[in-house]
Amino acid sequence: SLELWSLEGEDHYKKTKKKLDAGASFIKYDSDGTGLLTYMYRNAKDNQWVWVPSLKAKIRINTSGLTGAFVGSEFSIEDMRSHFPEKYDSKILSEEPCANVSTALTEGNCWKIERIPKKKKTGYSKLIVWVEQLHYRVAKVEFYDKRKKLLKTLTTDKWSLHKDRWWRTRETTMVNHQTGRSSTIVVDELELDIGLRKADFDANRRLLK
């Protein structure tokens, strides 16, 4: 059972000389309040820590830990980071009916996009992403390992529109083709526009109440 708080949206972007602050997320994954804290940036590397309540401390995750599994699932720590377009060299490979790649987004066409990570410290050589053209929803992502072999495939399902503005998926499945295992994140409850501020993520005091 996970609890996730996320700060996102243009209202929270803060321009500096070197980077653009694009939000934060905190995923609590045990009853003690231990969680994964991520500060996200559009044109700089994200920072991640494990928050340990008993120590009242954040333990930084170094680059060697990015490929490790998140709470034993087929999602990696790196998958919990941001995936802004600025972090990739991207090109559109083709367009095709979304129904060819998704059982959830079956109307209209999808762009098929190749993304090459700009950063060297990554577990992936490239990503192939299918994006639905009407609302820019991600239908499917293929992750290729450093040997350029297909490693994992992510698919989304059960999309819903909130406040006539925000589309969110309630099921995200990651299949590991090299291990034969899969993991699905299922959203049971979702609240949006709840008034979070960046300061709420500094020590997670508000988030843990």
Side-chain angles (χ1 to χ4, degrees):
S1 179
L2 308 174
E3 295 182 49
L4 164 65
W5 290 265
S6 182
L7 180 68
E8 59 183 32
E10 293 183 2
D11 293 343
H12 303 292
Y13 293 171
K14 180 180 178 182
K15 292 184 178 179
T16 67
K17 291 182 179 179
K18 296 184 178 180
K19 54 195 175 184
L20 186 60
D21 185 353
S25 69
F26 180 68
I27 306 174
K28 185 171 74 171
Y29 53 80
D30 70 17
S31 58
D32 295 328
T34 308
L36 177 67
L37 175 64
T38 305
Y39 287 172
M40 298 175 285
Y41 305 97
R42 297 190 74 88
N43 56 0
K45 69 177 182 178
D46 295 344
N47 293 320
Q48 286 182 303
W49 300 266
V50 173
W51 169 252
V52 184
S54 60
L55 301 177
K56 294 184 178 180
K58 296 182 294 187
I59 301 174
R60 184 183 291 273
I61 296 175
N62 58 36
T63 54
S64 64
L66 292 180
T67 58
F70 176 66
V71 293
S73 72
E74 296 309 307
F75 293 86
S76 70
I77 298 295
E78 182 175 4
D79 298 335
M80 300 295 114
R81 293 191 164 199
S82 62
H83 294 274
F84 295 115
E86 291 88 344
K87 297 186 176 182
Y88 299 89
D89 291 319
S90 302
K91 66 178 180 180
I92 295 177
L93 299 178
S94 63
E95 297 183 22
E96 59 184 286
C98 292
N100 289 355
V101 296
S102 173
T103 58
L105 305 176
T106 57
E107 297 182 359
N109 289 332
C110 283
W111 288 295
K112 182 180 179 181
I113 302 170
E114 180 185 69
R115 283 182 157 191
I116 306 296
K118 291 181 179 179
K119 61 184 179 182
K120 296 180 179 179
K121 301 297 184 180
T122 174
Y124 307 120
S125 60
K126 70 176 180 179
L127 283 67
I128 304 296
V129 185
W130 284 263
V131 179
E132 176 254 350
Q133 295 180 357
L134 183 59
H135 300 292
Y136 307 110
R137 293 175 289 181
V138 174
K140 177 180 173 181
V141 184
E142 291 180 345
F143 299 82
Y144 290 78
D145 63 20
K146 287 295 192 176
R147 298 172 296 170
K148 300 183 179 181
K149 294 184 177 181
L150 179 61
L151 174 61
K152 300 187 296 186
T153 298
L154 179 145
T155 54
T156 59
D157 199 359
K158 297 185 179 178
W159 286 90
S160 56
L161 181 63
H162 299 264
K163 298 188 176 182
D164 297 320
R165 184 178 179 185
W166 295 302
W167 285 97
R168 291 293 184 272
T169 177
R170 288 183 173 269
E171 284 193 12
T172 305
T173 298
M174 185 75 81
V175 175
N176 190 317
H177 301 285
Q178 297 183 10
T179 66
R181 297 177 56 189
S182 65
S183 300
T184 300
I185 296 176
V186 178
V187 178
D188 292 322
E189 184 178 352
L190 178 65
E191 295 180 80
L192 297 176
D193 197 19
I194 59 175
L196 289 176
R197 302 168 299 133
K198 184 180 177 182
D200 296 325
F201 294 81
D202 288 343
N204 310 302
R205 284 189 291 269
R206 176 181 174 183
L207 304 181
L208 296 175
K209 289 181 179 179

